[in-house]
Amino acid sequence: MNPVEADSEMLDAPQNSSRSFVPSVEIEDGRAIDSAFSQDVPNSTSSHGQQENSSIANSDLLRSSRKRHRESSREPSILANNVASNLSIKMPGGQSERMIEGEFLDEEDAERKPPAPYASSLPTGLCYDVRMRYHCELDPPTFRSDYHPEDPRRIFKIYKELCIAGLVKNDLLNVGPLIPNPLLNISARNVTEAEVCLVHDQKHFEFMRSTARMTPDDLIVLEREFDSIYLNTLTFSCALLSAGGAIETCKAVASGQVKNAIAVIRPPGHHAECNRPMGFCIFDNVSIAAKVCQQEYPETCRKVLILDWDVHHGNGVQQAFYQDPNVLYISLHVHQNGEFYPQGPFGDHVHCGAGSGLGKNINIPWPTKGMGDADYLLAFQHVVMPVAYKFDPDMVIIAAGFDAAAGDQLGGCFVTPSCYAHMTHMLMSLAKGKLVVCLEGGYNLESISKSALAVTRTLIGEMPERMLNTQATETGIETIEMVAMYQSRFWPCLYPKDPGEEVFDRSGTEHLDDVIRYYQASQLKEAHNMTNVMIYRDRLARSFENQVMATPNFEEAERLVVIFHDPPEIMGTPHPVTKKLALDKTWLADGLKQYVDWAARQGFGVIDVNIPKVVAGVHLSDELADEEGMKRTKAMDELAVYLWENYIEINDAEEVYFIGVGTAYTGIINLLQSREQEFVERVYGLVNFISEGPLIPVSDQGTYNFSSYQSMSKWYRSLSANFVSNTHLVWDITGKRPSKRFGNLIQSSKISLNDMLMERFEDVQDFILTKIEMRRQRRQALAGQQP
C-alpha cells in the first residue's frame, strides 16, 4: 500500500467506528501529541464490549500507521491535508464536533475576533484624472521641441504605460491581459480652501482663484512676474484637482482601503511656498496631503516621512515642515553650491530644521549633475534608511520627481527605472507598507513613464530588476559622508560621527591643511629658496596667508610656470566611528613636488599657489566670514586676478605656462575669460588635472580679435592638455563627444589626482618643451622674414 492510500484508509477508518482518529501533530513546545487520542462519542446502540473491541481495533490501526510512517516518506502537503481534514469530524446525525477544543484552544483564543484582511491582499491604488491635463500654455511655441518642460502629456504618458503593462483596466489602452488584481481607481476631488490654508496663506489661495477670471492676455503678462510659472484660466481648477488627488490617495492608504498607491497628478507642488507659486508648482500637494492625514487620522498617521527624490530641492516642503517634529523631510537633489534651481543656500546639508523640528530636515545635496544609481542607493543605505527606521513613521510619501532619470536633460543625472524600483522597495519596509507615491517633476516623457512603471510594479509586489551600476562616484561618497557626519549630532544611528565645532576651538589644535602647507613651504624654501609672495589686500591676505610661494627669479625669468593646485592628498584608513587617523598608517601624497623641482631646474620662474579647502577658517561648503560673504571659488578667482595684475603681467617673462590641479584649475579658466587679451598674448600652454567635479567650458563671447585661431575656444583647445580621470562623468556621455569648449581632453587611466600627476609627469614635460620649441621656431621664422 502506498502512502497516499494509507492516508485515505486512516481518514476513512474513524468514520466507521464509534471513536475518532487524528494523526500526529506538533504543538508549540515541539513535542508530538500521541496521535491516537480518542474522544468518547455518545451512542445508545453500542455496548461496553463493542466499545472495548473498537478501542482495541483502533490501537492496532495506530501501531500499523506509525510503522508505515517510519518506513515510507510522505509529502508534507499530504500530512498537512490529513491534519486539516481531521480537525473537524463529521458525526452521525449531521453533527460536527471540534476535536481540538479543550486540547489546544483556551477561553481567550475562543473569544478572539476574526483577523482583519492582510495588507498584502489589498490592491494598490491609482489616482489619475484627465482634467489635470487642461493646465497648459496659452501661447504654445510652433515646434514641439520648444514646448514647456511641464507638458500636459506627462501624466497621460505614465497612465498609458500602466495600461499597456496590464496594471490598469482600460479597454482602449489595454493591449494584453490584465494582472489578477489591477490598480484600484482613486477619484480625485477639489481640495478645499481650508485644506490649502494648512500650508499656504489666504492671499495665495485668493490670488490663484482670481486667475480663473483673468483674460488670456492678462495671464500671459502675469506669468512673467513669477519664477518658472505659466497660467491659463483652468490652471486653478487643475491645481485644486492635483492637491485633492494627493489628499484622497493618502487617505485611501491611511484608512486601509488600499495597501499603497501612486498619484499621477499635475501641476507638481514641492516648489510652491507659503505665499507664492514657483518652479511649475501652484499648491504644495504633498505637504497639504500630509497635514490633512495628520488631522483626520491623529492616532494612525501622526508621524509622516516625506522622501523627495526629485532632482530639484523641494523648498516648499522644507518650508512647510521646518519646525515640525512629526514630519521627517529627506531630499536628494542637485545643489551645485546653490547655483542649481531653486538657487540659494537652503538646500545645503546644514539646513537641518529649527526649534522642535531640529534634525527632521535632511538634505543630501549633490555638488554636480551626473549622479547615478549607485550614488542614490548608497545614500539610501547610509543615511535615508537608518534615519527612517529610527524615526519609525506611520506613513511614507514619496515626492516622486523623475527628472533625475537617465535621459532627462534638465536634471542631467543617470538614475534608471531599476534604481527607482529599489528605492521604492526599501521604503515599503516602513510604516507597515503604507506608502504613497505622488508625481512631482520629470520632463522626458519616455524616462518618466518607464520609471513610474517600475515603481508601480514594485508597489503591487514585484521584485525590482537587477542593477548594473553599483560603483558610487567619489563625489557621491564624499557628499553622503558629509551629510551623515553632520546629521549624526541628531541621529545616533549615523556614522561617521561629527567631532563637533568644539574640537576646532580647543587650544593646541590646527587644521592639517595649515600643517602640511608649513611643511611644503619649508621643503620648497630648502630645495629652491622659494619665499612667500606678499599679498597687500586684507581679505586675501587672511585667506591665503603662506599659500603663495615663488622662486627668486620669478620676476625676471624668460619663462614662468604658475601652478594653481588643491592641497596634497592624505591617504589612510580612518576609524569607522571616530574618524581618527593613525599616523603610522597615514601618508602624504604630493606628486606635484616633482613638477616644481623640474621647472626650477630648467631655470623657469615658478609661482606655487595652494588653494586650501578651508579659507579664512570656513569650510568649503560654507560662506567666508567677511562682509561680502564670498565663496571659496570667488576668493580663488580674486586671488588669480590679483596675482596676474601685480606679479605676472608686469614681470619680464615672455612665455607663461599654467598648471591647474583639482578644483583649483577653475581659477585659471576664470582668469582666462576675465583677462582675455592679456592672457592670450602672454600664455603659451595650459595643463590641467581634473579628477572629479564639473569641467569648465571656455566661452566665445569675448571681444578679442583672433587671427589664426578664430575663437577663444579654438585657441584654448590648441594650447591645452587637460588630463581627466577615467571615472569622470564626461566619459559616460553615450554616443557624444565632449564639447570642444572644454579644451583638449585626455583620458587618464588613473582616478586620483596624485596618481594622475605621477602617471603624466613625462607627458607634461614634453608638452611644455614642445610649446617652447614651437615658440622659438616661430620667432626665428619671423626674424628671417624681416629685411
Side-chain angles (χ1 to χ4, degrees), residues 691-754:
S691 175
E692 58 184 15
L695 297 174
I696 309 300
V698 170
S699 171
D700 286 329
Q701 302 301 316
T703 59
Y704 184 73
N705 183 22
F706 288 89
S707 55
S708 57
Y709 296 108
Q710 298 178 345
S711 67
M712 173 60 79
S713 61
K714 290 184 178 180
W715 176 89
Y716 176 52
R717 182 174 175 81
S718 66
L719 294 182
S720 64
N722 295 332
F723 300 101
V724 183
S725 165
N726 67 349
T727 59
H728 196 281
L729 294 171
V730 73
W731 308 120
D732 293 336
I733 304 175
T734 306
K736 293 184 180 180
R737 292 184 178 180
S739 171
K740 294 180 178 180
R741 296 195 299 140
F742 292 140
N744 179 28
L745 300 185
I746 304 169
Q747 186 170 9
S748 171
S749 63
K750 305 298 182 181
I751 298 175
S752 72
L753 287 174
N754 190 70

Side-chain angles (χ1 to χ4, degrees), residues 593-625:
K593 183 177 181 296
Q594 61 183 339
Y595 287 75
V596 177
D597 293 342
W598 172 78
R601 288 196 302 269
Q602 295 292 320
F604 304 159
V606 179
I607 299 179
D608 180 90
V609 185
N610 180 67
I611 307 297
K613 292 296 180 70
V614 178
V615 178
V618 181
H619 288 278
L620 172 62
S621 59
D622 299 328
E623 294 184 351
L624 288 173

